Each structure stands twice: as C-alpha cells, then as structure tokens.
C-alpha cells in the first residue's frame, strides 16, 4: 500500500508522516521534458532523498507532459521521430535507476495514455505502439534490475476497451518489457476490481496493479463520506487480488482544474489532517 505525493512539496517531514501512517511506498511522477533543467533534477533528487531517509521505496511514473512529436502528414517521418524521441525516456529511466536504483520500487511507464489529455501526440492507436515498442527495446538492460510496469491506464483493461487495444498493440514487446499492468480504479467496486485482475492475468499473463484510487472530499458525501470510503476500501484490500495499490493522494493539491480534483488528499492543502487520514490510519494498522 502506497500513496501519491507531489515532488515539489515532498520533504523529509512528509516522508516520515507517510511512513508512520503505515504506507509502504510513495508514488510520484518524473517528467521527461522537464529533466533537461538542473533545477528540476535537483527537485527530483531531493524527493528521492526524503523517501530514502524514511525507508520508503518509490514507484516512479515517467512520462512527458508535452506532445512527443509535432503533427505530421508523413507517416514514415512521424514514426521515425517517435522512435528517436523514445530514447529520451529510456535515457531518463537509466539515469534514475543509476542514481536511485536502490530505492526504486518500480518504473511505471506513462500515465493514462488511453486519454487524449495525457497522450497529446495524435491518435494513440497508431502513435502509442510505435513509441512504446521503441521504449521497451531501449529498456531491456534496465528490466533485469528494476521492475517495469505499464501503463497507468485511466480505465482497467476490459475486452474491447481502449486500454485493452493499446496493450494488445504492443503485446509482443510488453512480454519483454513490463512485469505488470497498472491502471486507475476510481469508482470501481470490489467485484469489478477482481474481474479486472482476472482478465489481465488470463489475457496477458501479468498481475494487475492499481496505481491510483481515491475519492474527493468535495463530493456530495463530503469529508465524512471520503473517510468512510477510504476505510472500507483499505479494510477490504486483501480481497482485491491486487498486490500493489497506491492511494491518490497524500495531500490536497492547489492546482487542480476544479474543486473535486483539488480535494482527494488525506490532508488538506495546508497539511491539516482530514477525517480520511484517521480512517486510513485505522485501516492500515488493523491488518
């Protein structure tokens, strides 16, 4: 059981709080396009240092926040550019593993590529497989030492879904690239999560991981509703057939696009504990 944190405010004190709450790891993102600046590299280094100080391994989600290639009507040129830019991601992963490998729980490739918002590189049906096949080829040496999971889908793969289509499109590569399929389980019931795990295992021979699950305190049930759902989910985690789960998220954000998205935290934006924190604490220390 882990929780998502933001690198820009993840300190040693925060890491100690996360650890004492009962979480086993933290998840945070590293943006390939931002790693070109020394300031961002320093921020990532500080986040890893804080996690290591608290003995918290890191699930690192690596992706770009900008389009990988410009629009092009020439398919061969676009595909060549995608293969070339894949080297940037593999280079970042190699540098992370080299610098922080002892504290890397796993590398997660991308985040919600089944949504256009997080795959701003044209039609994912055609661009995703070209890019990820090149990424997988470049990560073969890394794969021997650090687990690699993919691809943080917004929806659990199910027959005919977009996430299922993307997995199928790189099936030959993924068998030598990823050790597990990761997805986000917002709003899913226990039975739906169990079915997703069974489907992924039977179709792809890989375990299913939940790298985001959470509930906002700005929904119709408010703070008490968030706490109740957090407690119920964590208390039932043993029945989910899911070996790794990351809660979204540790602390409310200040830059979400709406009130709902800004209030998924166990703590509020100022660091004050919400009822959800107490619910998580009780559940995590009960088993």
């Amino acid at each position: 059981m882990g929780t998502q944190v933001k690198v820009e405010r993840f300190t040693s004190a925060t890491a100690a709080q996360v650890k004492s709450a009962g979480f086993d790891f933290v998840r945070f993102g590293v943006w390939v396009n931002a790693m070109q600046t020394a300031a961002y590299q320093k921020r990532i280094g500080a986040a890893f240092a804080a996690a290591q100080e608290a003995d918290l391994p890191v699930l690192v989600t690596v992706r770009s926040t900008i389009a990988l290639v410009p629009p092009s009507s020439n398919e061969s040129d676009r595909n060549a550019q995608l293969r070339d830019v894949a080297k940037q991601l593999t280079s970042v992963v190699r540098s992370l593993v080299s610098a922080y490998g002892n504290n890397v729980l796993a590398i997660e490739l991308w985040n919600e590529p089944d949504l256009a918002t997080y795959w701003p590189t044209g039609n994912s049906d055609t661009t995703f497989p070209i890019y990820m096949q090149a990424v997988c080829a470049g990560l073969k040496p890394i794969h021997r030492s650090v687990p690699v999971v993919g691809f943080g889908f917004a929806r659990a793969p199910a027959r005919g879904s977009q996430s299922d289509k993307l997995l199928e499109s790189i099936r030959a590569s993924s068998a030598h690239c990823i050790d597990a399929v990761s997805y986000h389980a917002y709003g899913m019931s226990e039975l739906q999560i169990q079915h997703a795990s069974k489907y992924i295992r039977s179709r792809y021979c890989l375990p299913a991981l939940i790298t985001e699950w959470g509930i906002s305190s700005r929904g119709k049930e408010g703070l008490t509703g968030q706490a109740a759902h957090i407690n119920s989910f964590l208390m039932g985690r043993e029945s989910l057939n899911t070996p790794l789960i990351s809660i979204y998220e540790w602390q409310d954000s200040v830059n979400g696009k709406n009130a709902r998205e800004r209030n998924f935290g166990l703590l509020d934006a100022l660091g004050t504990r919400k009822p959800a924190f107490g619910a998580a604490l009780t559940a995590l220390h009960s088993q």
Side-chain angles (χ1 to χ4, degrees):
M1 290 299 309
T3 186
Q4 180 153 321
V5 297
K6 298 287 195 296
V7 294
E8 59 268 21
R9 56 183 180 182
F10 185 59
T11 64
S12 295
T14 303
Q17 282 184 298
V18 171
K19 183 71 173 181
S20 65
F23 288 105
D24 304 309
F25 67 91
V26 291
R27 175 188 185 238
F28 59 69
V30 172
W31 316 141
V32 173
N33 48 298
M35 282 291 280
Q36 300 173 23
T37 69
Y40 187 76
Q41 292 174 20
K42 184 177 180 180
R43 180 184 298 172
I44 295 300
F48 269 104
Q52 188 165 22
E53 185 177 341
D55 194 26
L56 283 169
V58 181
L59 171 62
V60 193
T61 301
V62 184
R63 71 174 179 93
S64 173
T65 61
I66 59 175
L68 296 170
V69 296
S72 172
S73 58
N74 187 309
E75 182 178 352
S76 61
D77 286 349
R78 183 202 64 196
N79 291 348
Q81 290 173 336
L82 285 168
R83 294 186 184 99
D84 187 59
V85 78
K87 297 175 183 176
Q88 296 177 10
L89 186 142
T90 57
S91 176
V92 167
V93 172
R94 283 196 298 269
S95 67
L96 292 172
V97 172
S98 175
Y100 315 111
N102 290 339
N103 207 45
V104 174
L105 177 66
I107 298 291
E108 183 180 37
L109 300 178
W110 222 261
N111 179 79
E112 301 190 342
D114 45 333
L115 298 182
T117 299
Y118 294 98
W119 188 263
T121 306
N123 185 350
S124 59
D125 288 344
T126 55
T127 56
F128 180 85
I130 298 297
Y131 176 77
M132 279 302 172
Q133 285 168 10
V135 167
C136 287
L139 289 181
K140 283 183 179 179
I142 299 297
H143 190 209
R144 300 188 188 101
S145 58
V146 176
V148 177
V149 306
F151 294 91
F153 292 114
R155 300 286 184 271
R159 191 170 299 279
S161 67
Q162 182 62 13
S163 51
D164 195 45
K165 292 177 183 177
L166 295 182
L167 271 178
E168 185 63 34
S169 73
I170 60 157
R171 192 168 190 173
S173 297
S174 64
H176 305 286
C177 179
I178 60 173
D179 300 288
V181 174
S182 59
Y183 72 94
H184 302 166
Y186 297 104
M188 292 178 67
S189 68
E190 177 183 338
L191 187 60
Q192 288 172 322
I193 291 172
Q194 291 172 346
H195 285 168
S197 180
K198 183 177 180 180
Y199 177 78
I200 291 167
R201 174 70 73 176
S202 64
R203 184 166 177 81
Y204 297 102
C205 299
L206 293 170
L209 312 180
I210 295 173
T211 50
E212 284 187 27
W213 178 92
I215 185 164
S216 176
S217 60
R218 288 300 295 268
K220 61 181 180 180
E221 297 177 84
L223 290 166
T224 56
Q226 181 195 33
H229 284 291
I230 288 283
N231 182 263
S232 177
F233 181 81
L234 293 179
M235 291 296 286
R237 63 191 183 276
E238 297 296 334
S239 67
L240 298 178
N241 302 325
T242 304
L244 180 146
I245 299 171
S246 183
I247 298 298
Y248 187 88
E249 58 183 327
W250 176 251
Q251 186 175 357
D252 286 350
S253 68
V254 295
N255 55 3
K257 62 183 180 182
N258 55 52
R260 177 182 174 274
E261 292 194 7
R262 292 192 293 270
N263 287 276
F264 274 82
L266 303 178
L267 281 63
D268 69 18
L270 297 176
T272 302
R273 296 176 178 182
K274 296 159 66 175
F277 177 90
L281 192 70
T282 298
L284 290 171
H285 288 277
S286 68
Q287 298 180 17

